Amino acid sequence: MASADLREELLCSICLSTYTDPVMLRCGHNFCRVCVGRVLDTQDESGVYSCPQCREEFQEQPALMRNLYLHNVAERFLITQQEQEEITGICCTYCVDSPVPAVRSCLHCEASLCDKHLRVHSKSPEHVLSDPSTSLEKRKCSVHKKILEYYCMEDAACICVSCSLIGKHNGHKMESLDEASNNKKQKLRNVFQKLITKREETEERVWSLEERRRKAQEKAAGEAERVTALCTDIRRRVDDLEKKVLSEISRQEKEESLPLSALIHQLEIKKDELSREMRHIEELCNMTDPLTVLLEPDTGDLCDPEEEGGDEDTGGHDKQPHDGDDLDVAVISHTLHTLCEVISGIRSGIYVEDPADILLDVATANNNVLISDDLKTATWTEEEQKRPETAERFQDYQVMSRRGFTSGRHYWDVESRRSGWWRVGMCYPSIDRRGGQSEIGGNNKSWCLWRYNNNQYVVTHDSEVIRFPDKISSDRFRIYLDYEAGQLSFYELCDPIRHLHTFTATFSEPLHAALYILDCSIKILRGSRIWKKPL
């Protein structure tokens, strides 16, 4: 009872286990250092700390004072408990004064014996000795109270001699316990070998997944490093362009300001001279003595603007500057255009994967669709190809790619040759291969750009048609897929590149490139790594 009370006194109220490195708060309560540390860490955000037991609050995180006395008591208690557990495993039945470990158990006596009592124990055959056990009654027959010696193979039960002779197991096929045990051990070994094989397969699978995770981490780290380097280079280029543009503006401003300042200075001097002449003339006009007025030199010729053929003093610089003297906006615009190219680079296909080498699947091609040797060009032909009829082959003039996309961003370009009807787009592999619902764009498993008679273009999905108000003149087009975002876009490859339409959907299957051709030819082109996606 005292031991139980002591155990309760040595329990941490947080983890409910015996103290490990106990510490005490100012309120006097004790906890494991790790336990109370975690509690206080969770209270950091609120800024108010409290004891987990009495809820006393502290304005600052309280210091954790080690309780050395409690630490020693807990350590001694744990050692004592371990020693008692080792001693009280299976003890001798006859050593009542102090527990002594047993070395053998007697099935007949249903008692465990130490070395001392084993030496004086009966050696008669009915006293069967075994390894120490606490459940000796289970080794005897519950009916006849005799030792279990046989194994009934029909009932899968351990039985005694009486059960085999006069009991309900009479006449059944028997084995000795050792023989039955060996047979079961052999089965267990077989199961063990199978488990080893499965564990090795599991370990190999784990290794494979860890390798994939490592490669994914390396790829992510490489992409992060690439993007960081790219952004650093972009910032440097933008800074250089800013300095260049500002320097050019400052240079042109100085170049324009210097002659204007000189001209302004000359005109200010002329303005002062004219003001003096005006004041002198006013004085003459206000005089009453005609003789004085007539004796003054005649200055009318010097100031008559109608008789001046030009201003020799100013060298003709008093004329207004023409438009050509303004800032050279063309030079600045050219430099800013370079900046726009940098910005376009930022919005380019940084995260667009290389266009996969899309190859057409001949096994799906209609027999009137001729596939080139490089599997990149599909041409309609009147002469049917002698290909076997399979469930994969399209009944209509269609073909789809071998590879499908289940993630990522991808694009591919096509070029149409000869006038005719065609459709380019993407579809699920579960699309019908026969019937009216098999044409790409004519069902809910495909999306396409469609060109039909007289150079008319539409996009269609599930038979819903969207027409373009503007005329399309190019024969090259781009299909861009962002699988996770659920976007499939079509672009006209003109100058500049023109966005035609974007379908939005939640893709549920791999997407394959798909072509429909009639009286024409479609070639799949390979794009470049960096695609400047239209703004």
Side-chain angles (χ1 to χ4, degrees):
M1 186 68 180
S3 177
D5 294 339
L6 180 60
R7 177 187 290 274
E8 291 184 2
E9 291 295 328
L10 295 177
L11 291 182
C12 171
S13 61
I14 297 177
C15 66
L16 301 180
S17 299
T18 305
Y19 288 122
T20 302
D21 191 12
V23 294
M24 183 173 62
L25 299 180
R26 291 199 300 267
C27 59
H29 291 110
N30 297 283
F31 308 94
C32 297
R33 181 183 294 274
V34 174
C35 296
V36 72
R38 290 174 180 170
V39 173
L40 295 176
D41 288 342
T42 60
Q43 297 174 351
D44 281 339
E45 295 183 359
S46 62
V48 178
Y49 305 90
S50 61
C51 171
Q53 190 164 343
C54 68
R55 304 302 180 187
E56 180 178 342
E57 294 187 354
F58 312 99
Q59 294 303 318
E60 298 180 354
Q61 184 169 356
L64 303 179
M65 297 173 287
R66 188 180 189 191
N67 192 330
L68 187 59
Y69 171 76
L70 194 59
H71 176 271
N72 294 335
V73 172
E75 189 173 11
R76 286 173 177 259
F77 178 78
L78 289 175
I79 294 174
T80 304
Q81 288 293 108
Q82 291 175 357
E83 291 176 350
Q84 290 179 355
E85 289 174 0
E86 292 176 359
I87 293 176
T88 59
I90 298 177
C91 298
C92 177
T93 305
Y94 304 107
C95 294
V96 294
D97 294 334
S98 61
V100 178
V103 293
R104 302 289 282 174
S105 293
C106 177
L107 302 181
H108 180 75
C109 301
E110 295 187 2
S112 297
L113 309 170
C114 64
D115 283 329
K116 176 182 176 181
H117 290 95
L118 181 63
R119 287 194 294 268
V120 298
H121 189 68
S122 174
K123 302 297 188 292
S124 59
E126 66 267 18
H127 291 271
V128 179
L129 298 176
S130 68
D131 292 333
S133 175
T134 57
S135 56
L136 299 177
E137 68 279 358
K138 293 182 180 180
R139 301 183 68 89
K140 287 187 177 182
C141 176
S142 60
V143 178
H144 305 102
K145 304 302 179 183
K146 293 184 178 181
I147 298 173
L148 302 175
E149 299 182 65
Y150 299 99
Y151 180 77
C152 177
M153 299 179 65
E154 294 185 17
D155 297 330
C158 296
I159 61 176
C160 66
V161 176
S162 298
C163 290
S164 64
L165 296 177
I166 60 175
K168 63 179 181 179
H169 301 281
N170 183 24
H172 291 182
K173 189 175 181 180
M174 306 289 175
E175 285 183 336
S176 67
L177 291 183
D178 290 340
E179 186 179 3
S181 175
N182 291 334
N183 291 336
K184 185 172 182 178
K185 286 180 180 179
Q186 185 59 42
K187 293 181 180 178
L188 291 175
R189 291 189 188 98
N190 295 335
V191 173
F192 183 75
Q193 289 299 324
K194 292 180 181 179
L195 293 177
I196 289 177
T197 303
K198 288 186 177 181
R199 187 183 68 178
E200 290 176 350
E201 293 175 352
T202 303
E203 288 177 349
E204 185 176 354
R205 178 62 175 165
V206 169
W207 179 87
S208 176
L209 293 175
E210 289 178 346
E211 185 69 13
R212 287 179 58 187
R213 181 177 65 181
R214 182 186 63 79
K215 290 181 179 179
Q217 291 173 345
E218 289 179 355
K219 183 178 180 181
E223 287 297 309
E225 183 178 354
R226 183 175 70 88
V227 171
T228 300
L230 178 62
C231 292
T232 301
D233 180 63
I234 289 172
R235 285 192 291 269
R236 178 187 59 77
R237 291 171 62 186
V238 170
D239 291 341
D240 292 344
L241 283 169
E242 180 186 13
K243 293 177 182 177
K244 183 176 180 181
V245 172
L246 294 179
S247 176
E248 177 65 21
I249 292 174
S250 178
R251 185 192 65 79
Q252 292 192 32
E253 185 268 335
K254 290 180 181 179
E255 196 175 87
E256 181 74 13
S257 297
L258 287 176
L260 291 176
S261 298
L263 180 59
I264 291 172
H265 179 67
Q266 294 175 3
L267 292 176
E268 289 290 345
I269 294 175
K270 182 176 180 180
K271 185 181 71 171
D272 293 341
E273 292 177 355
L274 293 174
S275 297
R276 286 195 299 272
E277 290 293 333
M278 291 171 61
R279 286 194 299 271
H280 181 63
I281 292 173
E282 284 182 349
E283 291 176 356
L284 290 176
C285 292
N286 291 329
M287 287 183 180
T288 57
D289 184 6
L291 183 60
T292 303
V293 174
L294 293 175
L295 291 178
E296 281 294 322
D298 192 357
T299 58
D301 293 339
L302 298 176
C303 60
D304 189 357
E306 294 182 358
E307 295 181 4
E308 291 182 353
D311 195 335
E312 296 180 358
D313 295 336
T314 59
H317 291 295
D318 55 346
K319 59 183 179 180
Q320 293 294 327
H322 53 77
D323 293 339
D325 293 334
D326 292 340
L327 293 178
D328 190 353
V329 180
V331 176
I332 299 173
S333 298
H334 176 74
T335 308
L336 291 177
H337 179 70
T338 307
L339 179 61
C340 291
E341 291 181 351
V342 174
I343 296 173
S344 298
I346 297 174
R347 301 192 63 181
S348 66
I350 295 174
Y351 299 105
V352 177
E353 298 180 10
D354 279 335
D357 196 9
I358 295 179
L359 303 177
L360 298 175
D361 188 357
V362 179
T364 67
N366 175 267
N367 280 329
N368 289 99
V369 177
L370 182 65
I371 306 299
S372 62
D373 292 338
D374 62 357
L375 305 179
K376 286 185 169 294
T377 304
T379 305
W380 182 82
T381 176
E382 292 183 355
E383 182 180 355
E384 289 192 4
Q385 307 300 302
K386 296 180 179 179
R387 303 189 188 110
E389 288 294 335
T390 62
E392 296 179 336
R393 194 172 307 285
F394 282 106
Q395 188 181 42
D396 225 327
Y397 306 136
Q398 297 185 150
V399 63
M400 72 181 195
S401 65
R402 291 179 174 179
R403 180 184 177 185
F405 301 101
T406 57
S407 63
R409 300 176 176 88
H410 312 271
Y411 74 91
W412 52 290
D413 299 341
V414 296
E415 180 182 30
S416 63
R417 299 178 179 179
R418 304 203 323 255
S419 60
W421 291 38
W422 53 257
R423 302 185 186 194
V424 295
M426 307 198 83
C427 68
Y428 291 152
S430 62
I431 186 175
D432 291 339
R433 307 304 168 96
R434 286 167 173 75
Q437 294 295 316
S438 64
E439 290 186 357
I440 59 173
N443 48 70
N444 60 0
K445 297 184 177 183
S446 59
W447 301 257
C448 78
L449 171 66
W450 180 10
R451 181 192 187 278
Y452 57 100
N453 57 327
N454 200 19
N455 204 31
Q456 300 295 313
Y457 289 86
V458 296
V459 288
T460 178
H461 166 67
D462 202 11
S463 298
E464 294 185 6
V465 174
I466 300 175
R467 303 183 185 276
F468 299 127
D470 300 328
K471 184 178 180 181
I472 294 177
S473 57
S474 176
D475 57 0
R476 289 191 174 194
F477 301 89
R478 174 163 294 166
I479 297 90
Y480 170 77
L481 169 66
D482 188 339
Y483 196 95
E484 282 78 9
Q487 293 182 345
L488 182 62
S489 303
F490 294 87
Y491 297 87
E492 180 186 6
L493 294 181
C494 52
D495 188 15
I497 188 171
R498 182 160 70 104
H499 173 253
L500 298 177
H501 184 75
T502 294
F503 288 105
T504 301
T506 301
F507 301 127
S508 58
E509 296 182 38
L511 281 171
H512 293 251
L515 305 176
Y516 170 97
I517 53 175
L518 176 60
D519 195 25
C520 64
S521 176
I522 296 290
K523 181 179 181 180
I524 297 176
L525 308 174
R526 183 176 179 82
S528 58
R529 170 177 283 274
I530 298 298
W531 169 42
K532 294 182 179 179
K533 189 176 178 181
L535 301 179

